[in-house]
Amino acid sequence: MHTYVNGDNIYAKVNSLTSIETELPFSYYSLPYCKPLGGIKKSAENLGELLMGDQIDNSPYRFQMNVNESIYLCTTTPLNEHEVKLLKQRTRDLYQVNMILDNLPVMRFAVQNGVKIQWTGFPVGYTPPGSNDDYIINHLKFTILVHEYEGSNAEIIGTGEEGLGVISESDKSKASGYQIVGFQVSPCSVKYDPEVMTSLHMYDNITSISCPSELDKYQVIKEQERISFTYEVEFVKSDIKWPSRWDAYLKMEGSKVHWFSIMNSLMVIFFLAGIVFVIFLRTVRRDLTRYEELDKEAQAQMNEELSGWKLVVGDVFREPNCSKLLCVMVGDGVQILGMGGVTIVFAALGFMSPASRGMLLTGMILLFLILGIAAGYVSVRLWSTIKGTTEGWRSISWSAACFFPGIAFIILTVLNFILWGSSSTGAIPISLYFELFFLWFCISVPLTMIGGFMGTRAEAIEYPVRTNQIPREIPARKYPSWLLVLGAGTLPFGTLFIELFFILSSIWLGRFYYVFGFLLVVLLLLIIVCAEVSVVLTYMHLCVEDWQWWWKAFFASGSVSLYVFLYSINYLVFDLQSLSGPVSATLYLGYSLLMAVAIMLATGTVGFLTSFYFVHYLFSSVKID
């Protein structure tokens, strides 16, 4: 938490230029803007900020606490052809300038169709409808909201660049002063006389300027034009307190839609729970009770007349195809699910504030690395259960450590070459590549191997029935069983899709997503629906004597990822119509594919593990020799 006294100098910072049309961030100083007197200095950035393409630099915009003033910054040299082309392109692509003051992003208000809309950032320039001319935004009217803090009474818990901060009793006397609780801008274009403006020096005071309404008084972007940059600032006292200063950015719109999504999911859950209830209590229990009441001779006779799931008792635990891949995918699924669950819980409890830029992504990466232990343990334990031996556990652990990170690495490398080719700040620097490799091979891989070793020491799960030497023939079916498996993914997707819309909007339209409480509820509902869908489908397959249930149980719930990816394409076509160019579309589809793979592994793991314990419980009640 920062407090300032009257006259204190406060400098704004600038982040990368961003656009919802291209999704390619660029450096602020890639355009001919005024540079600070002491030169450009980059702010220290965490892992999450670097991966998100943030590049925070210092800026020449200086404010003095509670001093309202109009300031001249600089006048550019005559614009050359390259600078004009770049400015016009950034203006046409709707690029936004993202400024930060005391860790608050600048906010702009606009009126569209009679509705007041708030945005973060302000545009690089303005293109009138039907015009070939572009006009640069070169005058900014800042409004800074300040709250007078006396430094008495209760402790203040706030969110600054350092995250959560507490003012202790001893600090309170020092902390008296003014706190910045709002940062707003009203941008406009003003044509100045360069001859008059060049006689001024940076930070000279000028007369207050009214934003013109006629186009001929705007600053046009064309060759040999000299652009003068100015700004004015007004300090306004506010009742908003420091802990509430982010509320304006995190206003939750459409809460009724979130509740509708949750009620819709609950209906699906109760419907599926009813089916599972019927399977367990009516079908399975009735069959087992009838079976256990018979004497041995009658049981032997009944064995010959068995039907449905009881016929596959000698094959139900037969090793599945590609058993190694299944073990690896389930292990990685546990790792991703654990990472997502813990991250959402921490975010819902308020530990990952948007004020701490990049913390969410940094936290997710660290959790993923640590949970390598869980991936190794689950993979090896499942392997030893299927094979009956721990032989080959090192290979399983190594594969679990490299499977999903390897897929992510390949996708991100391809996208990174595209970003490098576009000279975007979103490209991962080569030094960060080495850091990520170090984290992967020096933390994630060893932890996964340790988890695998722990898996060899854990007791293997024993099958309740013996497996026959000769596999039973699976009866022919009228339609492929995979159709049912793919169709089952629609139920978990119904739980997820409304929240998915808000998440995609926050990622691609630059909106803040902070309804993690709703997201936590949706995650829990999604886990329950995945478990129920997988159990119902596994039982249906066993009833038609299909004992190859392992992969079908995984993909019954994992197929939700197919619908997530298709929905992402639908969102690209219908909601991101402004997204322009093959580069932007490739980036979008690449990140969507990575998200779909992660969702497939997580949801598939939930479905498989639930089905495994269901089948184990079902056949542990059967006494067939």
Side-chain angles (χ1 to χ4, degrees), residues 274-317:
I275 297 175
V276 174
F277 182 77
V278 169
I279 289 172
F280 266 110
L281 292 187
R282 298 217 27 212
T283 313
V284 178
R285 275 287 168 210
R286 186 189 62 209
D287 287 357
L288 291 177
T289 306
R290 254 182 59 214
Y291 187 80
E292 286 166 1
E293 284 173 355
L294 300 173
D295 57 25
K296 286 191 177 179
E297 286 182 19
Q299 281 184 12
Q301 185 183 352
M302 189 178 172
N303 287 347
E304 296 171 11
E305 301 167 1
L306 286 176
S307 62
W309 60 269
K310 295 176 285 298
L311 280 170
V312 296
V313 69
D315 298 276
V316 73
F317 290 109

Side-chain angles (χ1 to χ4, degrees), residues 486-530:
L486 289 175
T490 55
L491 289 168
F493 179 69
T495 309
L496 184 68
F497 84 99
I498 291 178
E499 214 58 42
L500 188 64
F501 170 80
F502 285 100
I503 292 169
L504 289 175
S505 297
S506 76
I507 295 171
W508 300 108
L509 296 179
R511 295 171 187 163
F512 285 103
Y513 182 88
Y514 210 63
V515 285
F516 288 106
F518 280 116
L519 189 58
L520 180 60
V521 173
V522 168
L523 177 68
L524 295 173
L525 296 180
L526 179 67
I527 289 170
I528 295 167
V529 173
C530 286

Side-chain angles (χ1 to χ4, degrees), residues 117-181:
I117 300 172
Q118 67 178 45
W119 301 84
T120 51
F122 58 89
V124 167
Y126 167 68
T127 307
S131 170
N132 288 324
D133 287 329
D134 301 286
Y135 301 90
I136 190 169
I137 299 293
N138 63 335
H139 180 70
L140 303 172
K141 289 188 170 186
F142 293 106
T143 303
I144 299 175
L145 305 182
V146 292
H147 177 75
E148 191 169 0
Y149 174 58
E150 297 298 338
S152 59
N153 298 328
E155 288 187 338
I156 296 283
I157 299 178
T159 321
E161 286 184 336
E162 301 80 14
L164 290 175
V166 179
I167 300 293
S168 65
E169 292 293 334
S170 59
D171 292 336
K172 284 177 183 173
S173 57
K174 303 175 195 173
S176 296
Y178 294 93
Q179 300 159 347
I180 295 171
V181 292

Side-chain angles (χ1 to χ4, degrees), residues 359-381:
M359 273 301 293
L360 194 68
L361 194 54
T362 306
M364 287 173 73
I365 291 170
L366 292 177
L367 279 169
F368 185 82
L369 295 173
I370 294 164
L371 287 169
I373 290 182
Y377 177 84
V378 172
S379 298
V380 170
R381 185 136 192 238

Side-chain angles (χ1 to χ4, degrees), residues 1 91 134 195 206 245 324 415 550 555:
M1 185 174 89
T91 300
D134 301 286
E195 300 300 326
I206 57 172
R245 67 184 196 144
K324 180 178 179 180
L415 297 182
W550 301 76
F555 284 113

Side-chain angles (χ1 to χ4, degrees), residues 80-114:
N80 59 37
E81 185 185 354
H82 172 71
E83 288 171 332
V84 168
K85 185 181 174 185
L86 209 55
L87 277 170
K88 279 180 166 287
Q89 188 179 339
R90 297 286 183 265
T91 300
R92 298 278 169 120
D93 287 341
L94 305 182
Y95 268 86
Q96 302 282 315
V97 177
N98 298 295
M99 211 170 269
I100 303 161
L101 183 70
D102 196 33
N103 206 37
L104 278 180
V106 71
M107 188 187 287
R108 168 173 66 95
F109 294 98
V111 177
Q112 285 185 359
N113 303 322

Side-chain angles (χ1 to χ4, degrees), residues 97 215 258 263 438 513 519 606 611:
V97 177
L215 280 179
H258 291 281
M263 294 306 295
F438 174 81
Y513 182 88
L519 189 58
V606 170
S611 291

